[in-house]
Amino acid sequence: MPGAIYAEGLVKTFGDVRALDGVDLDVPEGTVLGMLGPNGAGKTTAVRVLTTLLKPDRGRAEVAGIDVLRKPNEVRRSIGLSGQFAAVDEYLTGRENLQMVGQLYQMSGRAAKARAGELLERFHLTDAADRPAKTYSGGMRRRLDLAAALVVSPPVMFMDEPTTGLDPRNRQQLWEVIRELVAGGTTLLLTTQYLEEADHLAHDIAVVDHGRVIARGTSDQLKARTGGERVELVVHEREHIAAAQQVLRGFGKGEATIEEHIRKVTVPVTGGAKLLAEVIRELDSRGIEIDDIGLRRPTLDDVFISLTGHAAEIDEEAADGDGEDATKGAKGAKGKTGKAGRTGKKNAEGTESAEGAAAKEGTK
């Protein structure tokens, strides 16, 4: 049975650019899928297709058990979306922005006001609630945008690089909100450039490159693909680098690498802490003074580099075609609430928010 988010063979091209080249996804209900990949890999295009903002050239997709192509309006009622850019009306206050979203989802005025108050407190925006959003810092706007995506407590959430621009404290607070959502049964697709974020939050990780999913698995499974543990040491004196490399070569299961500018030597090993103790004894016997030594597992950074192996070749924002389809979607935000139209239009420059799409139904 397909998961809460399901895609099969999604293809999307923009001119000569093949943004999606047969993407398959299956995200079980109540879990987090982290989508990683270099800029231009197709992550944002996939999110736009799954949230009905773009139509794929080929393939099929379901969200919350609803066909994305056949019943897009029903999909919009079941999702929340936070795009790469904060989609807030800068002329409205933070409270008014959230109340407007609630009303676009056809909540009563009283319910929308109560929900706005809850979210302002949850995202630590109460003190700024009655200030125009144009006076907010970038991080505050980002938090307001994330709050807007949660107004109706959707069963399925899409977050496209949600913590970009947030300081470490606010990023940790958002991680807690995400954990609470998932614990309550919400399914989340998360794209991120912060590999630590995927490591902490995702049950499963999909690595995307050139419009294809090139690897899929848990964090531990992906790390295992890059090899086992590594011994890393930093010598005190630069002239001891060669001698330290020779010592590590005797214990390692591969070639030792050197980062001379920071006096670091690294080698892949097996044997764990016991082997580390032997390395320290050997270094001491040879009179090689060290500033630091440790045993570490591969990180998701190692996975990312080993799987993709290159920097971005195209800019995803240019390739993702912020053109006719996205603009048409944004126009749907025009309705009874005049300023909502400005919010939707601004979103066409990035990704239209789910509330903007919902306005197509809610303001008829």
Side-chain angles (χ1 to χ4, degrees):
M1 183 177 177
I5 302 172
Y6 177 79
E8 182 180 347
L10 291 181
V11 173
K12 183 66 183 178
T13 60
F14 301 102
D16 295 332
V17 176
R18 202 171 181 86
L20 298 179
D21 191 17
V23 168
D24 298 327
L25 295 172
D26 194 355
V27 188
E29 185 176 341
T31 66
V32 180
L33 174 68
M35 189 177 287
L36 304 180
N39 292 330
K43 304 183 301 297
T44 295
T45 302
V47 168
R48 290 177 180 176
V49 168
L50 292 167
T51 55
T52 77
L53 298 178
L54 287 175
K55 290 184 178 180
D57 300 325
R58 291 203 303 275
R60 58 182 293 263
E62 293 182 1
V63 175
I66 306 165
D67 191 288
V68 169
L69 291 175
R70 294 178 182 175
K71 299 179 179 179
N73 290 333
E74 290 187 27
V75 170
R76 292 169 191 145
R77 295 188 190 102
S78 302
I79 65 173
L81 168 63
S82 177
Q84 286 188 4
F85 304 100
V88 298
D89 191 317
E90 63 181 10
Y91 295 101
L92 299 180
T93 67
R95 191 184 307 278
E96 289 168 342
N97 265 284
L98 298 182
Q99 289 179 202
M100 176 189 71
V101 172
Q103 290 171 336
L104 289 174
Y105 274 109
Q106 300 181 333
M107 296 173 66
S108 70
R110 178 176 295 180
K113 183 176 180 180
R115 182 61 174 159
E118 292 171 9
L119 289 168
L120 288 165
E121 184 174 354
R122 189 175 195 179
F123 283 87
H124 305 278
L125 290 169
T126 303
D127 290 344
D130 297 310
R131 283 168 34 198
K134 65 182 179 181
T135 67
Y136 285 18
S137 67
M140 292 169 69
R141 289 189 185 205
R142 192 65 176 143
R143 281 183 280 153
L144 182 61
D145 180 66
L146 292 165
L150 298 174
V151 166
V152 294
S153 302
V156 179
M157 278 288 301
F158 295 86
M159 293 187 175
D160 197 5
E161 301 190 17
T163 59
T164 299
L166 297 185
D167 60 41
R169 182 174 63 87
N170 284 318
R171 185 175 298 136
Q172 290 282 350
Q173 289 171 348
L174 177 60
W175 289 0
E176 286 304 314
V177 170
I178 290 174
R179 290 188 185 101
E180 290 172 12
L181 287 171
V182 176
T186 299
T187 305
L188 172 64
L189 190 150
L190 169 77
T191 77
T192 181
Q193 293 292 352
Y194 296 109
L195 303 184
E196 179 191 12
E197 189 161 87
D199 217 352
H200 276 77
L201 298 176
H203 297 89
D204 219 11
I205 296 170
V207 182
V208 181
D209 197 21
H210 292 301
R212 290 179 174 272
V213 176
I214 60 173
R216 175 82 185 257
T218 66
S219 177
D220 286 341
Q221 288 169 342
L222 292 177
K223 290 174 184 178
R225 293 181 58 162
T226 66
E229 299 167 319
R230 293 112 188 263
V231 169
E232 290 183 349
L233 65 85
V234 177
V235 297
H236 184 67
E237 301 290 345
R238 194 174 300 276
E239 55 265 29
H240 286 157
I241 290 176
Q245 183 187 25
Q246 184 179 11
V247 170
L248 290 187
R249 190 180 292 129
F251 290 95
K253 298 298 180 182
E255 188 60 34
T257 59
I258 296 174
E259 296 174 68
E260 193 163 348
H261 63 293
I262 55 174
R263 308 186 308 282
K264 179 189 283 188
V265 185
T266 304
V267 68
V269 298
T270 57
K274 182 179 179 181
L275 180 136
L276 184 62
E278 294 175 7
V279 171
I280 294 172
R281 282 195 294 269
E282 182 65 19
L283 291 167
D284 187 56
S285 70
R286 297 197 185 195
I288 301 172
E289 187 177 352
I290 58 174
D291 289 342
D292 189 26
I293 188 169
L295 186 71
R296 76 169 179 88
R297 300 177 61 209
T299 65
L300 278 181
D301 295 82
D302 299 321
V303 173
F304 186 89
I305 293 169
S306 68
L307 289 172
T308 61
H310 60 82
E313 296 178 1
I314 57 174
D315 181 75
E316 186 167 356
E317 287 307 306
D320 276 351
D322 300 325
E324 187 175 357
D325 286 337
T327 304
K328 283 180 180 178
K331 288 178 181 176
K334 294 180 180 178
K336 293 179 181 177
T337 311
K339 293 182 180 179
R342 284 203 297 272
T343 304
K345 185 176 181 182
K346 188 177 295 181
N347 256 346
E349 298 171 5
T351 304
E352 183 191 18
S353 63
E355 60 268 19
K360 295 177 183 177
E361 288 298 293
T363 59
K364 285 184 179 179

